[in-house]
Amino acid sequence: MRHSLILILSLLSVACSWSHKPLQPLEREAADRALRTAGTQLHNDPASASGTYLKALKQYRAMADIEGELWALSGIALSSRALKDSLAYLDSRERMDDIVKEISPERDYIPLLLELQLAAASSDWILVSELYRDNEDWPSVARLRILAYAIQAESLLGQDRSAHVKLALKLLRGQKRKLHRQGDLHALQIARTRYALAYHYLVETDLKKAEKQLNQALELDRLYGDFDALGYDYWLLARIAIARGDPTTARAQLLKAQRLFEGSAHAAMQTRVATELLSLEKGE
């Protein structure tokens, strides 16, 4: 009986393996893996990231995967900017513009996200605010990422952001059921929006809502291993604790952020966290 059961289970296993169909082409999975790997390399090793993005680009191009090509070119543009290679940056931007114009105008949100990311990285929040636009035909997750940049810029600039916050919350409600089914990149984009909302609520001194949004962002960043973002999450939790008048909790959160920023390319945040820890020690 025992051996018969094992045989039946073995046959069922083989049958399942025969009937199994991949959710997407294996080549696409390999290209997606390369794209994710390049993203993890970007901050600390842009040269390696550039090579990995190029590998992903070739894989996507071989499948005529236009969206993948655009994301890979966007990554090449980011790594080229980090390496101060203006020719490679301009070439990748031109190729993106050509693809959008000639093949896929409905994916114009990908070059826009690149522009927003570069402006935010330069702390040019006025430009971020000016670049913002929305299109109901874009994927919800892209609209949310673009909204995240706009809300953060408007929070820092003291501009009215109520309409954008309302839209972000509406779009987020539609993402709950498919959050983890869409993969890590999707989930991490949601985390960025929740971080921006947390920042907004902190500026508005609604600390309860700020902490709620930030804890959801932190959970996703930790689950999917975005440790750069996790450093910012702990830093913002420290700001919330300071606003509550709780320096002990603030210090603990800053120490977590410090560990995550150490050895990274985020020199400005390393300095900022160190300064804020010193201020807490002095009781300022």
Side-chain angles (χ1 to χ4, degrees), residues 263-280:
S264 75
H266 297 287
M269 286 306 294
Q270 292 174 36
T271 302
R272 185 167 191 170
V273 168
T275 301
E276 291 178 2
L277 280 168
L278 186 60
S279 296
L280 285 175

Side-chain angles (χ1 to χ4, degrees), residues 47-66:
S48 294
S50 182
T52 310
Y53 278 127
L54 183 59
K55 176 184 176 183
L57 176 64
K58 290 177 180 178
Q59 291 171 320
Y60 286 126
R61 188 174 178 82
M63 295 178 281
D65 187 323
I66 302 304

Side-chain angles (χ1 to χ4, degrees), residues 162-178:
S162 54
H164 290 159
V165 169
K166 184 177 179 180
L167 178 58
L169 291 170
K170 177 184 175 182
L171 291 172
L172 281 170
R173 283 194 292 272
Q175 297 296 310
K176 284 185 178 180
R177 290 185 179 180
K178 54 186 177 182

Side-chain angles (χ1 to χ4, degrees), residues 50-156:
S50 182
T52 310
Y53 278 127
L54 183 59
K55 176 184 176 183
L57 176 64
K58 290 177 180 178
Q59 291 171 320
Y60 286 126
R61 188 174 178 82
M63 295 178 281
D65 187 323
I66 302 304
E67 182 179 11
E69 280 192 59
L70 285 168
W71 285 122
L73 284 167
S74 178
I76 291 170
L78 289 169
S79 55
S80 299
R81 177 63 70 91
L83 293 166
K84 296 181 171 55
D85 186 342
S86 57
L87 290 178
Y89 169 75
L90 290 172
D91 176 67
S92 57
R93 287 302 312 271
E94 287 175 7
R95 291 168 73 181
M96 289 180 75
D97 291 341
D98 288 344
I99 289 172
V100 168
K101 181 180 179 181
E102 298 173 5
I103 304 175
S104 188
E106 73 278 7
R107 292 190 173 95
D108 56 343
Y109 59 87
I110 299 178
L112 173 60
L113 278 165
L114 172 61
E115 291 182 55
L116 288 165
Q117 186 169 350
L118 290 171
S122 301
S123 298
D124 191 344
W125 299 109
I126 293 175
L127 178 58
V128 169
S129 183
E130 291 173 348
L131 285 170
Y132 172 80
R133 66 180 191 274
D134 184 39
N135 186 330
E136 292 183 357
D137 293 330
W138 288 340
S140 293
V141 70
R143 296 176 69 194
L144 281 165
R145 189 68 184 103
I146 292 165
L147 277 166
Y149 282 116
I151 291 168
Q152 183 126 14
E154 290 157 355
S155 296
L156 289 162

Side-chain angles (χ1 to χ4, degrees), residues 216-244:
Q216 291 182 73
L218 189 147
E219 180 183 355
L220 291 171
D221 289 331
R222 188 159 46 201
L223 180 64
Y224 291 99
D226 191 342
F227 299 111
D228 281 336
L230 202 57
Y232 282 93
D233 295 338
Y234 285 126
W235 171 78
L236 196 56
L237 278 173
R239 303 307 307 170
I240 293 171
I242 289 170
R244 280 205 174 107

